[in-house]
Amino acid sequence: MQNKIHVRKNDTVMVISGKDKGKIGEVLSVFPKHNKVLVKDVNVVTKHQKPSKENMQGGLIQKEAPIYSAKVMLYCTKCKSVTRISHKLLDDGTKVRICKKCGETF
Ligand SMILES: [Zn+2]
């Protein structure tokens, strides 16, 4: 069974806890199985890269690591704040998510 994650790829979210609290970033990918999301420039960790043909020395690379989806909230770029969303069914049957504060659709 897959967990339901409240944000989707390309959503803008704000981190609400942890060392990156307050950071705003774009969701790069979601991992429903692990209940985690990957957010641009959030939870950046330094990884060691093994030496390769292109890079004989190997080295350190900076890369985002996934964080628990519960640590992020959807950020409305219109209200400029975190928001809750509600779902709305359009006349043609399409389900859209709207910002509860300003009505912006996501
Ligand atoms: Zn809004």
Side-chain angles (χ1 to χ4, degrees):
M1 208 184 96
Q2 290 212 326
N3 296 307
K4 218 168 175 202
I5 289 189
H6 62 294
V7 294
R8 294 179 194 170
K9 192 177 173 182
N10 299 327
D11 276 352
T12 302
V13 296
M14 183 187 264
V15 183
I16 51 165
S17 72
K19 70 178 171 84
D20 289 312
K21 189 175 175 180
K23 272 197 186 173
I24 296 161
E26 183 191 330
V27 177
L28 299 175
S29 38
V30 292
F31 307 97
K33 268 187 190 168
H34 301 103
N35 235 333
K36 286 183 170 182
V37 293
L38 192 67
V39 185
K40 196 175 195 307
D41 295 329
V42 167
N43 200 26
V44 175
V45 293
T46 307
K47 284 188 172 177
H48 291 270
Q49 194 163 44
K50 283 180 185 164
S52 63
K53 264 185 191 165
E54 294 77 32
N55 185 355
M56 302 285 278
Q57 297 282 313
L60 301 172
I61 49 162
Q62 302 257 305
K63 203 172 184 300
E64 294 98 348
I67 59 168
Y68 281 106
S69 62
K71 285 189 173 183
V72 301
M73 268 188 84
L74 197 63
Y75 182 84
C76 178
T77 48
K78 208 171 170 188
C79 309
K80 301 253 184 291
S81 67
V82 290
T83 186
R84 292 196 177 274
I85 50 159
S86 60
H87 294 268
K88 193 177 156 190
L89 205 58
L90 298 180
D91 292 340
D92 64 0
T94 323
K95 221 176 179 184
V96 294
R97 300 175 305 163
I98 59 169
C99 170
K100 277 191 177 170
K101 288 181 186 167
C102 72
E104 177 82 344
T105 54
F106 291 100

